[in-house]
Amino acid sequence: SKIIFEGNSDIKKILNNSISFFKNEFDDTLNSLLIKSTYLIQETSKNSKGQVESYRSQIIVNLVIKNKTKIVSNKLIQKNFSYPTKANKFELVRYQNEIKNNLIREIIQNINLFLNIQ
């Protein structure tokens, strides 16, 4: 009956545009879907000078299907990717965005599988 997105706005936009949702707001017997997303970039190692040598990008998406009073189903999807740093910061940011988009594509596949099973 309704779809609620919480969390990272980039992930929200991509998920909303990539997954076919069929909403029927007039049928109160239908379940609602809550999608919470988080995007993290973590430093995973540093050299002796304190400079970052590697990172890990992680996306966490929690899907909650619920009716009016209780949770019907819950699925936590986590995807991450580790990579070395780049000397050029512009290239690093571009590479991190590419990784983010690839992780989101993997999550979309998992969401589609999960929703088709339900």
Side-chain angles (χ1 to χ4, degrees), residues 4-92:
I4 303 162
F5 289 95
E6 293 180 0
N8 185 278
S9 61
D10 291 337
I11 296 173
K12 170 186 166 180
K13 288 176 192 173
I14 295 170
L15 290 179
N16 195 26
N17 292 332
S18 299
I19 300 174
S20 298
F21 294 113
F22 299 101
K23 291 193 296 187
N24 183 347
E25 298 172 355
F26 304 107
D27 188 350
D28 289 339
T29 62
L30 295 176
N31 296 327
S32 64
L33 176 62
L34 171 63
I35 302 174
K36 296 180 186 179
S37 61
T38 306
Y39 175 61
L40 304 168
I41 298 176
Q42 302 163 322
E43 299 173 353
T44 55
S45 69
K46 292 184 178 186
N47 62 18
S48 59
K49 296 178 184 178
Q51 299 167 327
V52 178
E53 289 190 335
S54 64
Y55 293 94
R56 177 178 32 247
S57 289
Q58 180 178 31
I59 296 178
I60 303 166
V61 173
N62 188 19
L63 300 171
V64 179
I65 299 174
K66 59 183 179 176
N67 62 21
K68 288 184 178 181
T69 58
K70 67 177 184 170
I71 293 176
V72 175
S73 187
N74 190 6
K75 174 81 173 173
L76 184 68
I77 302 169
Q78 295 183 28
K79 298 290 178 184
N80 63 64
F81 184 78
S82 297
Y83 49 94
T85 191
K86 297 192 177 285
N88 183 321
K89 295 300 175 189
F90 177 77
E91 287 295 318
L92 176 63

Side-chain angles (χ1 to χ4, degrees), residues 4 92 109-110 112:
I4 303 162
L92 176 63
Q109 290 175 346
N110 288 339
N112 282 329

Side-chain angles (χ1 to χ4, degrees), residues 90-107:
F90 177 77
E91 287 295 318
L92 176 63
V93 170
R94 190 177 67 74
Y95 187 55
Q96 287 173 331
N97 286 332
E98 185 179 318
I99 290 167
K100 180 180 182 181
N101 289 331
N102 289 339
L103 293 175
I104 292 171
R105 276 194 287 277
E106 289 180 32
I107 287 176

